[in-house]
Amino acid sequence: MTRQGHIAVALLLILFLSLAQPACRKQTSIEFIIASAPLIALTHVRVIDGTGSPAKEDQTILIEAGRIKAIGDASGIVVPGGAKVFDLRDHTAIPGLVGMHEHLFYTTDAGKRDVSATQTFPRLYLAAGVTTIRTAGTLNLDGDLSAKQSIDAGDEPGPKIYLSSPYINRHEGELLTAQKINAAVDEWTAKGVSSLKVYTNIGRDELAAAVAAGHRHGLKVTGHLCAVGFREAVAAGIDNLEHGLLVDTEFYSGKQFGKCPERKDVFPELVRVDIKGPQVQQLIQELVERRVAVTSTLAIFETYTGNQFELDPRMQQVLTPQAYESCLSQLQHDRSDSRWAEYWQPLLKKEMEFEREFVRSGGLLLAGVDPTGWGGVVAGFGDQRQMELLVQAGFSPEEAIKIYTANGAQFLGGLERIGTLAVGKQADVVIIHGNPGANIKDIRNVTMVFKDGVGYDSAKLIDSVRGQVGAQ
């Protein structure tokens, strides 16, 4: 063969190899991968499977082609030769978390400024064990879509993303017609959203129009409501209610139809609401009967409790110096004036009681962090704190894990693929040093996160966003 012929063959070979190279092996993701093999064995690991069942000791999980091939007692599973083996004594495996109130933006400067976090938050979610998220509202749908596409292509590490719409809300002086809502929903559906997010000022007729438009496209509708009470929203056909009782204004004596009252007026009365009383129990019954899910966001509420709230020390590592200083300043402000916190502290307990009653009655409770407010929580770290608060609310660690995994997967219609650890499911597995079943604070000790059978180094993911969260 001539020299020119050799060159031509070489060029064709290079082209073939470049086309055959899987996207998940691009350099931006590969630097964080510590386990990628045709067959992986996680041996001698404690398993909390996401069903609510007690932990099982000394288990082995076999992962093949991105799925769980086998799971059971280590003594009964033969690890095939050639498998990449991880001896995980003193570790616990749980399903990848399914965060149902997540965002790809961060709120800083005492709540005055929202900044994009499409580059940083996906890594923090994944590092903390959140392998699936629903963006419960967006300020930049195209930015969220771009982040999702980069992750799906393997260009960036991050969770599976279920996109929600921009906030559907009525602004002062605006006429939000059904025609406008339908047109927006048509546009968002074409871009790939899987749910709609309605917001505080939306009225009953507008909510009904949004629900109709969403359901016409097979989308679910969730809402952070205020002008509309929960029972009105249930009657309108809403699928999911965010935050729980603390944003429901229907029990406020001064409530005016279609108007969102000030929290300072609502909270003094809400503190006295009896969760076991007939009004709240009737609300819970209607939520359960109509299969309306509730999303718990205790972690964001806790940031308003003044002296009761402690800033996660890991946040200093990932926030910009300016954003971290803003957090310290706000925390100092809240602790110096306890008037607002004196409402939030009992209200947080009230919300915990409501969520326990809702679940006890058969309701589907979901969970997420909502990294907004004044900036006191961020992606991933806040999800772990949310898990701890669910346990403080009275759920067992196994129940809290089920709320954060199987329940979210069920609502998303993906329980056959994700949400629990079982043979045939996608291998979304979080490896934790310690035993969160005995001490829920161990949920912070994530060492490795498998998403679709590929294991990522949690510490490296966190370190890769050092000092970046909160940057414009």
Side-chain angles (χ1 to χ4, degrees):
M1 184 182 293
T2 65
R3 181 171 179 272
Q4 289 80 2
H6 282 293
I7 292 173
V9 170
L11 289 173
L12 286 171
L13 181 59
I14 291 170
L15 177 61
F16 171 78
L17 290 174
S18 66
L19 291 173
Q21 181 75 7
C24 64
R25 293 297 179 269
K26 292 186 178 179
Q27 186 61 40
T28 48
S29 285
I30 202 169
E31 62 185 292
F32 304 108
I33 295 173
I34 55 175
S36 180
L39 186 62
I40 296 171
L42 311 177
T43 65
H44 304 294
V45 67
R46 180 184 302 103
V47 170
I48 301 176
D49 65 8
T51 65
S53 300
K56 294 181 179 180
E57 301 290 336
D58 197 26
Q59 302 287 290
T60 287
I61 303 173
L62 295 184
I63 298 172
E64 184 177 50
R67 294 188 176 273
I68 297 175
K69 180 181 181 181
I71 182 170
D73 292 339
S75 61
I77 293 182
V78 177
V79 176
K84 185 174 181 63
V85 178
F86 292 86
D87 188 326
L88 294 174
R89 289 175 174 86
D90 300 323
H91 288 74
T92 302
I94 69 171
L97 304 185
V98 181
M100 293 296 289
H101 193 126
E102 315 294 10
H103 296 298
L104 296 181
F105 64 87
Y106 172 67
T107 303
T108 184
D109 293 356
K112 298 182 180 70
R113 186 166 65 97
D114 297 312
V115 295
S116 174
T118 55
Q119 297 297 313
T120 55
F121 272 13
R123 296 185 181 194
L124 287 178
Y125 283 126
L126 189 61
V130 186
T131 55
T132 301
I133 67 169
R134 177 187 65 177
T135 57
T138 179
L139 302 177
N140 181 0
L141 178 57
D142 289 339
D144 287 6
L145 176 60
S146 179
K148 172 180 169 58
Q149 291 171 337
S150 294
I151 292 167
D152 291 347
D155 295 345
E156 286 289 333
K160 304 176 180 78
I161 297 177
Y162 285 75
L163 293 170
S164 289
S165 70
Y167 296 85
I168 303 175
N169 201 17
R170 174 168 28 95
H171 302 287
E172 188 173 355
E174 177 187 14
L175 180 61
L176 187 59
T177 64
Q179 184 178 9
K180 286 183 179 179
I181 292 172
N182 284 328
V185 173
D186 288 346
E187 177 186 344
W188 297 332
T189 302
K191 291 186 175 183
V193 305
S194 60
S195 65
L196 303 180
K197 174 69 178 287
V198 297
Y199 206 52
T200 53
N201 289 326
I202 195 169
R204 188 169 64 184
D205 291 343
E206 296 148 335
L207 173 59
V211 169
H215 288 179
R216 177 165 51 86
H217 285 286
L219 309 180
K220 291 186 176 180
V221 182
T222 192
H224 173 174
L225 302 179
C226 181
V228 175
F230 278 14
R231 293 180 67 184
E232 289 180 290
V234 171
I238 201 166
D239 303 291
N240 187 191
L241 291 163
E242 301 301 309
H243 307 298
L245 189 69
L246 266 60
V247 301
D248 186 6
T249 58
E250 66 186 271
F251 302 111
Y252 171 49
S253 63
K255 178 73 167 66
Q256 298 180 42
F257 178 77
K259 292 187 177 181
C260 177
E262 296 286 337
R263 285 192 298 187
K264 65 179 178 60
D265 298 324
V266 176
F267 279 5
E269 292 188 12
L270 191 57
V271 167
R272 299 191 296 272
V273 167
D274 182 6
I275 300 298
K276 295 187 181 295
Q279 287 182 311
V280 177
Q281 289 296 313
Q282 177 64 29
L283 166 62
I284 290 174
Q285 182 180 343
E286 292 188 22
L287 292 172
V288 174
E289 288 178 352
R290 296 291 291 271
R291 298 184 180 180
V292 178
V294 172
T295 309
S296 173
T297 60
L298 300 173
I300 186 63
F301 290 154
E302 188 191 31
T303 65
Y304 296 102
T305 58
N307 288 322
Q308 186 174 308
F309 175 67
E310 296 290 339
L311 201 65
D312 190 317
R314 297 173 296 177
M315 288 178 62
Q316 185 174 12
Q317 176 183 349
V318 300
L319 293 176
T320 66
Q322 295 81 5
Y324 184 67
E325 181 58 37
S326 175
C327 284
L328 294 180
S329 176
Q330 183 65 37
L331 196 55
Q332 182 180 16
H333 171 271
D334 289 352
R335 288 175 175 175
S336 65
D337 184 352
S338 63
R339 288 174 296 178
W340 196 231
E342 286 173 358
Y343 283 120
W344 275 105
Q345 290 173 7
L347 284 172
L348 179 61
K349 293 180 180 179
K350 186 80 66 176
E351 177 60 30
M352 289 177 170
E353 185 184 359
F354 171 77
E355 292 177 11
R356 288 198 310 271
E357 281 291 300
F358 177 65
V359 172
R360 184 191 64 79
S361 300
L364 184 67
L365 188 66
L366 316 173
V369 58
D370 188 14
T372 54
W374 53 263
V377 286
V378 297
F381 298 162
D383 291 275
Q384 293 170 343
R385 180 56 184 163
Q386 170 70 22
M387 183 84 76
E388 295 170 357
L389 289 169
L390 286 170
V391 174
Q392 285 188 24
F395 298 104
S396 70
E398 291 82 5
E399 289 171 329
I401 290 169
K402 180 176 184 287
I403 289 166
Y404 233 121
T405 57
N407 286 11
Q410 178 182 334
F411 185 85
L412 292 173
L415 190 54
E416 78 285 353
R417 297 177 288 103
I418 60 175
T420 63
L421 300 181
V423 172
K425 290 199 172 185
Q426 294 172 3
D428 293 352
V429 188
V430 185
I431 304 301
I432 299 161
H433 185 259
N435 181 6
N439 178 15
I440 193 59
K441 288 189 178 298
D442 284 349
I443 199 73
R444 301 186 183 209
N445 302 333
V446 174
T447 61
M448 181 166 48
V449 180
F450 286 87
K451 177 192 160 193
D452 295 331
V454 176
Y456 293 84
D457 187 312
S458 177
K460 285 185 177 180
L461 285 167
I462 294 170
D463 193 59
S464 72
V465 301
R466 181 182 294 273
Q468 297 178 38
V469 175
Q472 185 65 47

